[in-house]
Amino acid sequence: MNSQALLNIQTPGGEGCRARPCLLTLSFPFSTMKLFTGLILCSLVLGVHSQWLSFLGEAYEGAKDMWRAYSDMREANFKGADKYFHARGNYDAAQRGPGGVWAAEVISNGREALQGITDPLFKGMTRDQVREDTKADQFANEWGRSGKDPNHFRPPGLPDKY
């Protein structure tokens, strides 16, 4: 793509200034199509980049929600409240968005896998007991992640603080 412009350049002469016509040709090394293609690609990359950052932020906040539910469960030390705290942590994390759902699922599955190893060793549970407990925990986890009310699992007498 070329552009041309006619310029009148004045140069000092013996009797004042005279105008001399000069033709200036500007040449661009890119086409308009390449420019627009580049702009569209940049905006797509920035859009995906921003979505990725949003996902990571949601995942981070969701992980904090999961930790808060775990800490509250440990603090409450209330018999029968385990499923409630599973559901609440997953519910709170899922409210953050897709990143929170992802974090809740990864943390929940990791925790259940770890408990499958530690519970028989430290709590003296049989494999069948571990399997049943894991199944019930995962049900509560999925309940919370799906956006259902975690209070469905709330045991009577659990302090309102939780």
Side-chain angles (χ1 to χ4, degrees), residues 47-69:
V48 168
H49 179 70
S50 122
Q51 287 175 351
W52 181 247
L53 287 177
S54 174
F55 182 87
L56 289 176
E58 293 167 359
Y60 175 74
E61 293 298 322
K64 286 183 7 184
D65 291 331
M66 295 291 288
W67 179 257
R68 188 176 324 106

mmCIF file with all atom_site columns, all heavy atoms in Angstrom, residues 47-69:
data_model
loop_
_atom_site.group_PDB
_atom_site.id
_atom_site.type_symbol
_atom_site.label_atom_id
_atom_site.label_alt_id
_atom_site.label_comp_id
_atom_site.label_asym_id
_atom_site.label_entity_id
_atom_site.label_seq_id
_atom_site.pdbx_PDB_ins_code
_atom_site.Cartn_x
_atom_site.Cartn_y
_atom_site.Cartn_z
_atom_site.occupancy
_atom_site.B_iso_or_equiv
_atom_site.pdbx_formal_charge
_atom_site.auth_seq_id
_atom_site.auth_comp_id
_atom_site.auth_asym_id
_atom_site.auth_atom_id
_atom_site.pdbx_PDB_model_num
ATOM 1   N N   . GLY A 1 47 ? -7.564  -11.569 25.748 1.00 0.00 ? 47 GLY A N   1
ATOM 2   C CA  . GLY A 1 47 ? -8.809  -12.064 26.325 1.00 0.00 ? 47 GLY A CA  1
ATOM 3   C C   . GLY A 1 47 ? -8.615  -13.400 27.002 1.00 0.00 ? 47 GLY A C   1
ATOM 4   O O   . GLY A 1 47 ? -9.064  -13.622 28.115 1.00 0.00 ? 47 GLY A O   1
ATOM 5   N N   . VAL A 1 48 ? -7.911  -14.317 26.340 1.00 0.00 ? 48 VAL A N   1
ATOM 6   C CA  . VAL A 1 48 ? -7.639  -15.624 26.931 1.00 0.00 ? 48 VAL A CA  1
ATOM 7   C C   . VAL A 1 48 ? -6.740  -15.463 28.147 1.00 0.00 ? 48 VAL A C   1
ATOM 8   O O   . VAL A 1 48 ? -6.938  -16.102 29.172 1.00 0.00 ? 48 VAL A O   1
ATOM 9   C CB  . VAL A 1 48 ? -6.983  -16.565 25.878 1.00 0.00 ? 48 VAL A CB  1
ATOM 10  C CG1 . VAL A 1 48 ? -6.425  -17.809 26.529 1.00 0.00 ? 48 VAL A CG1 1
ATOM 11  C CG2 . VAL A 1 48 ? -7.994  -16.927 24.807 1.00 0.00 ? 48 VAL A CG2 1
ATOM 12  N N   . HIS A 1 49 ? -5.774  -14.586 28.054 1.00 0.00 ? 49 HIS A N   1
ATOM 13  C CA  . HIS A 1 49 ? -4.867  -14.328 29.178 1.00 0.00 ? 49 HIS A CA  1
ATOM 14  C C   . HIS A 1 49 ? -5.669  -13.838 30.377 1.00 0.00 ? 49 HIS A C   1
ATOM 15  O O   . HIS A 1 49 ? -5.469  -14.293 31.501 1.00 0.00 ? 49 HIS A O   1
ATOM 16  C CB  . HIS A 1 49 ? -3.815  -13.308 28.761 1.00 0.00 ? 49 HIS A CB  1
ATOM 17  C CG  . HIS A 1 49 ? -2.845  -12.949 29.824 1.00 0.00 ? 49 HIS A CG  1
ATOM 18  N ND1 . HIS A 1 49 ? -1.888  -13.836 30.268 1.00 0.00 ? 49 HIS A ND1 1
ATOM 19  C CD2 . HIS A 1 49 ? -2.693  -11.825 30.555 1.00 0.00 ? 49 HIS A CD2 1
ATOM 20  C CE1 . HIS A 1 49 ? -1.176  -13.262 31.213 1.00 0.00 ? 49 HIS A CE1 1
ATOM 21  N NE2 . HIS A 1 49 ? -1.642  -12.044 31.403 1.00 0.00 ? 49 HIS A NE2 1
ATOM 22  N N   . SER A 1 50 ? -6.593  -12.942 30.132 1.00 0.00 ? 50 SER A N   1
ATOM 23  C CA  . SER A 1 50 ? -7.385  -12.395 31.237 1.00 0.00 ? 50 SER A CA  1
ATOM 24  C C   . SER A 1 50 ? -8.298  -13.466 31.833 1.00 0.00 ? 50 SER A C   1
ATOM 25  O O   . SER A 1 50 ? -8.495  -13.515 33.034 1.00 0.00 ? 50 SER A O   1
ATOM 26  C CB  . SER A 1 50 ? -8.158  -11.188 30.741 1.00 0.00 ? 50 SER A CB  1
ATOM 27  O OG  . SER A 1 50 ? -9.514  -11.304 30.897 1.00 0.00 ? 50 SER A OG  1
ATOM 28  N N   . GLN A 1 51 ? -8.847  -14.358 30.984 1.00 0.00 ? 51 GLN A N   1
ATOM 29  C CA  . GLN A 1 51 ? -9.684  -15.441 31.500 1.00 0.00 ? 51 GLN A CA  1
ATOM 30  C C   . GLN A 1 51 ? -8.845  -16.405 32.331 1.00 0.00 ? 51 GLN A C   1
ATOM 31  O O   . GLN A 1 51 ? -9.300  -16.918 33.333 1.00 0.00 ? 51 GLN A O   1
ATOM 32  C CB  . GLN A 1 51 ? -10.350 -16.192 30.348 1.00 0.00 ? 51 GLN A CB  1
ATOM 33  C CG  . GLN A 1 51 ? -11.449 -15.420 29.686 1.00 0.00 ? 51 GLN A CG  1
ATOM 34  C CD  . GLN A 1 51 ? -12.014 -16.135 28.477 1.00 0.00 ? 51 GLN A CD  1
ATOM 35  O OE1 . GLN A 1 51 ? -11.483 -17.139 28.028 1.00 0.00 ? 51 GLN A OE1 1
ATOM 36  N NE2 . GLN A 1 51 ? -13.098 -15.605 27.929 1.00 0.00 ? 51 GLN A NE2 1
ATOM 37  N N   . TRP A 1 52 ? -7.619  -16.658 31.895 1.00 0.00 ? 52 TRP A N   1
ATOM 38  C CA  . TRP A 1 52 ? -6.725  -17.554 32.626 1.00 0.00 ? 52 TRP A CA  1
ATOM 39  C C   . TRP A 1 52 ? -6.419  -16.981 33.999 1.00 0.00 ? 52 TRP A C   1
ATOM 40  O O   . TRP A 1 52 ? -6.433  -17.693 34.996 1.00 0.00 ? 52 TRP A O   1
ATOM 41  C CB  . TRP A 1 52 ? -5.464  -17.785 31.805 1.00 0.00 ? 52 TRP A CB  1
ATOM 42  C CG  . TRP A 1 52 ? -4.487  -18.705 32.437 1.00 0.00 ? 52 TRP A CG  1
ATOM 43  C CD1 . TRP A 1 52 ? -3.254  -18.374 32.904 1.00 0.00 ? 52 TRP A CD1 1
ATOM 44  C CD2 . TRP A 1 52 ? -4.632  -20.100 32.713 1.00 0.00 ? 52 TRP A CD2 1
ATOM 45  N NE1 . TRP A 1 52 ? -2.630  -19.474 33.438 1.00 0.00 ? 52 TRP A NE1 1
ATOM 46  C CE2 . TRP A 1 52 ? -3.456  -20.548 33.333 1.00 0.00 ? 52 TRP A CE2 1
ATOM 47  C CE3 . TRP A 1 52 ? -5.644  -21.016 32.493 1.00 0.00 ? 52 TRP A CE3 1
ATOM 48  C CZ2 . TRP A 1 52 ? -3.263  -21.863 33.727 1.00 0.00 ? 52 TRP A CZ2 1
ATOM 49  C CZ3 . TRP A 1 52 ? -5.448  -22.330 32.891 1.00 0.00 ? 52 TRP A CZ3 1
ATOM 50  C CH2 . TRP A 1 52 ? -4.278  -22.731 33.490 1.00 0.00 ? 52 TRP A CH2 1
ATOM 51  N N   . LEU A 1 53 ? -6.142  -15.672 34.033 1.00 0.00 ? 53 LEU A N   1
ATOM 52  C CA  . LEU A 1 53 ? -5.865  -15.035 35.331 1.00 0.00 ? 53 LEU A CA  1
ATOM 53  C C   . LEU A 1 53 ? -7.095  -15.076 36.230 1.00 0.00 ? 53 LEU A C   1
ATOM 54  O O   . LEU A 1 53 ? -6.972  -15.290 37.431 1.00 0.00 ? 53 LEU A O   1
ATOM 55  C CB  . LEU A 1 53 ? -5.391  -13.597 35.129 1.00 0.00 ? 53 LEU A CB  1
ATOM 56  C CG  . LEU A 1 53 ? -3.983  -13.433 34.578 1.00 0.00 ? 53 LEU A CG  1
ATOM 57  C CD1 . LEU A 1 53 ? -3.665  -11.959 34.361 1.00 0.00 ? 53 LEU A CD1 1
ATOM 58  C CD2 . LEU A 1 53 ? -2.960  -14.075 35.483 1.00 0.00 ? 53 LEU A CD2 1
ATOM 59  N N   . SER A 1 54 ? -8.249  -14.896 35.641 1.00 0.00 ? 54 SER A N   1
ATOM 60  C CA  . SER A 1 54 ? -9.488  -14.965 36.410 1.00 0.00 ? 54 SER A CA  1
ATOM 61  C C   . SER A 1 54 ? -9.667  -16.365 36.993 1.00 0.00 ? 54 SER A C   1
ATOM 62  O O   . SER A 1 54 ? -10.022 -16.530 38.163 1.00 0.00 ? 54 SER A O   1
ATOM 63  C CB  . SER A 1 54 ? -10.669 -14.608 35.505 1.00 0.00 ? 54 SER A CB  1
ATOM 64  O OG  . SER A 1 54 ? -11.878 -14.789 36.178 1.00 0.00 ? 54 SER A OG  1
ATOM 65  N N   . PHE A 1 55 ? -9.411  -17.392 36.180 1.00 0.00 ? 55 PHE A N   1
ATOM 66  C CA  . PHE A 1 55 ? -9.525  -18.780 36.625 1.00 0.00 ? 55 PHE A CA  1
ATOM 67  C C   . PHE A 1 55 ? -8.578  -19.047 37.793 1.00 0.00 ? 55 PHE A C   1
ATOM 68  O O   . PHE A 1 55 ? -8.962  -19.651 38.792 1.00 0.00 ? 55 PHE A O   1
ATOM 69  C CB  . PHE A 1 55 ? -9.216  -19.716 35.452 1.00 0.00 ? 55 PHE A CB  1
ATOM 70  C CG  . PHE A 1 55 ? -9.345  -21.176 35.787 1.00 0.00 ? 55 PHE A CG  1
ATOM 71  C CD1 . PHE A 1 55 ? -10.564 -21.813 35.687 1.00 0.00 ? 55 PHE A CD1 1
ATOM 72  C CD2 . PHE A 1 55 ? -8.245  -21.918 36.206 1.00 0.00 ? 55 PHE A CD2 1
ATOM 73  C CE1 . PHE A 1 55 ? -10.697 -23.162 35.985 1.00 0.00 ? 55 PHE A CE1 1
ATOM 74  C CE2 . PHE A 1 55 ? -8.360  -23.259 36.510 1.00 0.00 ? 55 PHE A CE2 1
ATOM 75  C CZ  . PHE A 1 55 ? -9.595  -23.880 36.398 1.00 0.00 ? 55 PHE A CZ  1
ATOM 76  N N   . LEU A 1 56 ? -7.337  -18.593 37.664 1.00 0.00 ? 56 LEU A N   1
ATOM 77  C CA  . LEU A 1 56 ? -6.354  -18.799 38.733 1.00 0.00 ? 56 LEU A CA  1
ATOM 78  C C   . LEU A 1 56 ? -6.772  -18.080 40.018 1.00 0.00 ? 56 LEU A C   1
ATOM 79  O O   . LEU A 1 56 ? -6.607  -18.610 41.117 1.00 0.00 ? 56 LEU A O   1
ATOM 80  C CB  . LEU A 1 56 ? -4.971  -18.325 38.295 1.00 0.00 ? 56 LEU A CB  1
ATOM 81  C CG  . LEU A 1 56 ? -4.285  -19.177 37.237 1.00 0.00 ? 56 LEU A CG  1
ATOM 82  C CD1 . LEU A 1 56 ? -2.957  -18.539 36.828 1.00 0.00 ? 56 LEU A CD1 1
ATOM 83  C CD2 . LEU A 1 56 ? -4.080  -20.588 37.726 1.00 0.00 ? 56 LEU A CD2 1
ATOM 84  N N   . GLY A 1 57 ? -7.307  -16.869 39.886 1.00 0.00 ? 57 GLY A N   1
ATOM 85  C CA  . GLY A 1 57 ? -7.787  -16.132 41.059 1.00 0.00 ? 57 GLY A CA  1
ATOM 86  C C   . GLY A 1 57 ? -8.937  -16.860 41.738 1.00 0.00 ? 57 GLY A C   1
ATOM 87  O O   . GLY A 1 57 ? -8.991  -16.953 42.966 1.00 0.00 ? 57 GLY A O   1
ATOM 88  N N   . GLU A 1 58 ? -9.864  -17.376 40.928 1.00 0.00 ? 58 GLU A N   1
ATOM 89  C CA  . GLU A 1 58 ? -10.987 -18.143 41.486 1.00 0.00 ? 58 GLU A CA  1
ATOM 90  C C   . GLU A 1 58 ? -10.487 -19.398 42.197 1.00 0.00 ? 58 GLU A C   1
ATOM 91  O O   . GLU A 1 58 ? -10.973 -19.751 43.273 1.00 0.00 ? 58 GLU A O   1
ATOM 92  C CB  . GLU A 1 58 ? -11.954 -18.537 40.372 1.00 0.00 ? 58 GLU A CB  1
ATOM 93  C CG  . GLU A 1 58 ? -12.684 -17.378 39.732 1.00 0.00 ? 58 GLU A CG  1
ATOM 94  C CD  . GLU A 1 58 ? -13.377 -17.753 38.438 1.00 0.00 ? 58 GLU A CD  1
ATOM 95  O OE1 . GLU A 1 58 ? -13.285 -18.933 38.015 1.00 0.00 ? 58 GLU A OE1 1
ATOM 96  O OE2 . GLU A 1 58 ? -14.020 -16.866 37.849 1.00 0.00 ? 58 GLU A OE2 1
ATOM 97  N N   . ALA A 1 59 ? -9.508  -20.061 41.574 1.00 0.00 ? 59 ALA A N   1
ATOM 98  C CA  . ALA A 1 59 ? -8.959  -21.287 42.175 1.00 0.00 ? 59 ALA A CA  1
ATOM 99  C C   . ALA A 1 59 ? -8.279  -20.973 43.505 1.00 0.00 ? 59 ALA A C   1
ATOM 100 O O   . ALA A 1 59 ? -8.442  -21.708 44.485 1.00 0.00 ? 59 ALA A O   1
ATOM 101 C CB  . ALA A 1 59 ? -7.976  -21.949 41.211 1.00 0.00 ? 59 ALA A CB  1
ATOM 102 N N   . TYR A 1 60 ? -7.542  -19.887 43.545 1.00 0.00 ? 60 TYR A N   1
ATOM 103 C CA  . TYR A 1 60 ? -6.850  -19.492 44.783 1.00 0.00 ? 60 TYR A CA  1
ATOM 104 C C   . TYR A 1 60 ? -7.867  -19.187 45.883 1.00 0.00 ? 60 TYR A C   1
ATOM 105 O O   . TYR A 1 60 ? -7.739  -19.673 47.011 1.00 0.00 ? 60 TYR A O   1
ATOM 106 C CB  . TYR A 1 60 ? -5.958  -18.276 44.517 1.00 0.00 ? 60 TYR A CB  1
ATOM 107 C CG  . TYR A 1 60 ? -5.312  -17.721 45.745 1.00 0.00 ? 60 TYR A CG  1
ATOM 108 C CD1 . TYR A 1 60 ? -4.248  -18.384 46.351 1.00 0.00 ? 60 TYR A CD1 1
ATOM 109 C CD2 . TYR A 1 60 ? -5.765  -16.539 46.317 1.00 0.00 ? 60 TYR A CD2 1
ATOM 110 C CE1 . TYR A 1 60 ? -3.650  -17.881 47.493 1.00 0.00 ? 60 TYR A CE1 1
ATOM 111 C CE2 . TYR A 1 60 ? -5.172  -16.027 47.462 1.00 0.00 ? 60 TYR A CE2 1
ATOM 112 C CZ  . TYR A 1 60 ? -4.113  -16.700 48.039 1.00 0.00 ? 60 TYR A CZ  1
ATOM 113 O OH  . TYR A 1 60 ? -3.531  -16.201 49.174 1.00 0.00 ? 60 TYR A OH  1
ATOM 114 N N   . GLU A 1 61 ? -8.881  -18.403 45.553 1.00 0.00 ? 61 GLU A N   1
ATOM 115 C CA  . GLU A 1 61 ? -9.908  -18.063 46.546 1.00 0.00 ? 61 GLU A CA  1
ATOM 116 C C   . GLU A 1 61 ? -10.694 -19.309 46.957 1.00 0.00 ? 61 GLU A C   1
ATOM 117 O O   . GLU A 1 61 ? -11.063 -19.459 48.124 1.00 0.00 ? 61 GLU A O   1
ATOM 118 C CB  . GLU A 1 61 ? -10.849 -16.988 45.996 1.00 0.00 ? 61 GLU A CB  1
ATOM 119 C CG  . GLU A 1 61 ? -10.185 -15.637 45.792 1.00 0.00 ? 61 GLU A CG  1
ATOM 120 C CD  . GLU A 1 61 ? -9.655  -15.025 47.071 1.00 0.00 ? 61 GLU A CD  1
ATOM 121 O OE1 . GLU A 1 61 ? -10.308 -15.156 48.119 1.00 0.00 ? 61 GLU A OE1 1
ATOM 122 O OE2 . GLU A 1 61 ? -8.576  -14.401 47.025 1.00 0.00 ? 61 GLU A OE2 1
ATOM 123 N N   . GLY A 1 62 ? -10.956 -20.204 45.998 1.00 0.00 ? 62 GLY A N   1
ATOM 124 C CA  . GLY A 1 62 ? -11.651 -21.450 46.312 1.00 0.00 ? 62 GLY A CA  1
ATOM 125 C C   . GLY A 1 62 ? -10.842 -22.327 47.255 1.00 0.00 ? 62 GLY A C   1
ATOM 126 O O   . GLY A 1 62 ? -11.395 -22.949 48.168 1.00 0.00 ? 62 GLY A O   1
ATOM 127 N N   . ALA A 1 63 ? -9.528  -22.360 47.041 1.00 0.00 ? 63 ALA A N   1
ATOM 128 C CA  . ALA A 1 63 ? -8.657  -23.131 47.943 1.00 0.00 ? 63 ALA A CA  1
ATOM 129 C C   . ALA A 1 63 ? -8.698  -22.543 49.354 1.00 0.00 ? 63 ALA A C   1
ATOM 130 O O   . ALA A 1 63 ? -8.703  -23.278 50.345 1.00 0.00 ? 63 ALA A O   1
ATOM 131 C CB  . ALA A 1 63 ? -7.233  -23.156 47.405 1.00 0.00 ? 63 ALA A CB  1
ATOM 132 N N   . LYS A 1 64 ? -8.755  -21.210 49.437 1.00 0.00 ? 64 LYS A N   1
ATOM 133 C CA  . LYS A 1 64 ? -8.869  -20.572 50.755 1.00 0.00 ? 64 LYS A CA  1
ATOM 134 C C   . LYS A 1 64 ? -10.198 -20.924 51.419 1.00 0.00 ? 64 LYS A C   1
ATOM 135 O O   . LYS A 1 64 ? -10.247 -21.142 52.633 1.00 0.00 ? 64 LYS A O   1
ATOM 136 C CB  . LYS A 1 64 ? -8.717  -19.047 50.629 1.00 0.00 ? 64 LYS A CB  1
ATOM 137 C CG  . LYS A 1 64 ? -7.296  -18.627 50.385 1.00 0.00 ? 64 LYS A CG  1
ATOM 138 C CD  . LYS A 1 64 ? -7.022  -17.135 50.309 1.00 0.00 ? 64 LYS A CD  1
ATOM 139 C CE  . LYS A 1 64 ? -8.073  -16.162 50.607 1.00 0.00 ? 64 LYS A CE  1
ATOM 140 N NZ  . LYS A 1 64 ? -7.697  -14.754 50.410 1.00 0.00 ? 64 LYS A NZ  1
ATOM 141 N N   . ASP A 1 65 ? -11.272 -20.992 50.626 1.00 0.00 ? 65 ASP A N   1
ATOM 142 C CA  . ASP A 1 65 ? -12.579 -21.394 51.171 1.00 0.00 ? 65 ASP A CA  1
ATOM 143 C C   . ASP A 1 65 ? -12.525 -22.820 51.714 1.00 0.00 ? 65 ASP A C   1
ATOM 144 O O   . ASP A 1 65 ? -13.073 -23.103 52.779 1.00 0.00 ? 65 ASP A O   1
ATOM 145 C CB  . ASP A 1 65 ? -13.663 -21.304 50.089 1.00 0.00 ? 65 ASP A CB  1
ATOM 146 C CG  . ASP A 1 65 ? -13.981 -19.873 49.683 1.00 0.00 ? 65 ASP A CG  1
ATOM 147 O OD1 . ASP A 1 65 ? -13.826 -18.965 50.521 1.00 0.00 ? 65 ASP A OD1 1
ATOM 148 O OD2 . ASP A 1 65 ? -14.384 -19.670 48.520 1.00 0.00 ? 65 ASP A OD2 1
ATOM 149 N N   . MET A 1 66 ? -11.852 -23.686 50.986 1.00 0.00 ? 66 MET A N   1
ATOM 150 C CA  . MET A 1 66 ? -11.717 -25.073 51.434 1.00 0.00 ? 66 MET A CA  1
ATOM 151 C C   . MET A 1 66 ? -10.918 -25.141 52.738 1.00 0.00 ? 66 MET A C   1
ATOM 152 O O   . MET A 1 66 ? -11.270 -25.876 53.657 1.00 0.00 ? 66 MET A O   1
ATOM 153 C CB  . MET A 1 66 ? -11.041 -25.931 50.353 1.00 0.00 ? 66 MET A CB  1
ATOM 154 C CG  . MET A 1 66 ? -11.853 -26.075 49.081 1.00 0.00 ? 66 MET A CG  1
ATOM 155 S SD  . MET A 1 66 ? -13.333 -27.063 49.296 1.00 0.00 ? 66 MET A SD  1
ATOM 156 C CE  . MET A 1 66 ? -12.620 -28.688 49.467 1.00 0.00 ? 66 MET A CE  1
ATOM 157 N N   . TRP A 1 67 ? -9.860  -24.364 52.816 1.00 0.00 ? 67 TRP A N   1
ATOM 158 C CA  . TRP A 1 67 ? -9.038  -24.343 54.033 1.00 0.00 ? 67 TRP A CA  1
ATOM 159 C C   . TRP A 1 67 ? -9.843  -23.804 55.214 1.00 0.00 ? 67 TRP A C   1
ATOM 160 O O   . TRP A 1 67 ? -9.747  -24.306 56.330 1.00 0.00 ? 67 TRP A O   1
ATOM 161 C CB  . TRP A 1 67 ? -7.776  -23.518 53.822 1.00 0.00 ? 67 TRP A CB  1
ATOM 162 C CG  . TRP A 1 67 ? -6.938  -23.461 55.054 1.00 0.00 ? 67 TRP A CG  1
ATOM 163 C CD1 . TRP A 1 67 ? -6.826  -22.426 55.941 1.00 0.00 ? 67 TRP A CD1 1
ATOM 164 C CD2 . TRP A 1 67 ? -6.129  -24.520 55.594 1.00 0.00 ? 67 TRP A CD2 1
ATOM 165 N NE1 . TRP A 1 67 ? -5.990  -22.766 56.972 1.00 0.00 ? 67 TRP A NE1 1
ATOM 166 C CE2 . TRP A 1 67 ? -5.553  -24.048 56.783 1.00 0.00 ? 67 TRP A CE2 1
ATOM 167 C CE3 . TRP A 1 67 ? -5.848  -25.813 55.173 1.00 0.00 ? 67 TRP A CE3 1
ATOM 168 C CZ2 . TRP A 1 67 ? -4.709  -24.838 57.559 1.00 0.00 ? 67 TRP A CZ2 1
ATOM 169 C CZ3 . TRP A 1 67 ? -5.002  -26.582 55.949 1.00 0.00 ? 67 TRP A CZ3 1
ATOM 170 C CH2 . TRP A 1 67 ? -4.443  -26.093 57.130 1.00 0.00 ? 67 TRP A CH2 1
ATOM 171 N N   . ARG A 1 68 ? -10.658 -22.767 54.956 1.00 0.00 ? 68 ARG A N   1
ATOM 172 C CA  . ARG A 1 68 ? -11.468 -22.179 56.022 1.00 0.00 ? 68 ARG A CA  1
ATOM 173 C C   . ARG A 1 68 ? -12.463 -23.211 56.567 1.00 0.00 ? 68 ARG A C   1
ATOM 174 O O   . ARG A 1 68 ? -12.636 -23.345 57.777 1.00 0.00 ? 68 ARG A O   1
ATOM 175 C CB  . ARG A 1 68 ? -12.208 -20.942 55.518 1.00 0.00 ? 68 ARG A CB  1
ATOM 176 C CG  . ARG A 1 68 ? -12.911 -20.170 56.619 1.00 0.00 ? 68 ARG A CG  1
ATOM 177 C CD  . ARG A 1 68 ? -13.579 -18.874 56.158 1.00 0.00 ? 68 ARG A CD  1
ATOM 178 N NE  . ARG A 1 68 ? -12.853 -18.158 55.126 1.00 0.00 ? 68 ARG A NE  1
ATOM 179 C CZ  . ARG A 1 68 ? -13.219 -18.110 53.838 1.00 0.00 ? 68 ARG A CZ  1
ATOM 180 N NH1 . ARG A 1 68 ? -14.306 -18.741 53.432 1.00 0.00 ? 68 ARG A NH1 1
ATOM 181 N NH2 . ARG A 1 68 ? -12.516 -17.425 52.962 1.00 0.00 ? 68 ARG A NH2 1
ATOM 182 N N   . ALA A 1 69 ? -13.087 -23.969 55.666 1.00 0.00 ? 69 ALA A N   1
ATOM 183 C CA  . ALA A 1 69 ? -14.041 -24.996 56.110 1.00 0.00 ? 69 ALA A CA  1
ATOM 184 C C   . ALA A 1 69 ? -13.317 -26.077 56.912 1.00 0.00 ? 69 ALA A C   1
ATOM 185 O O   . ALA A 1 69 ? -13.823 -26.538 57.946 1.00 0.00 ? 69 ALA A O   1
ATOM 186 C CB  . ALA A 1 69 ? -14.754 -25.609 54.903 1.00 0.00 ? 69 ALA A CB  1
#
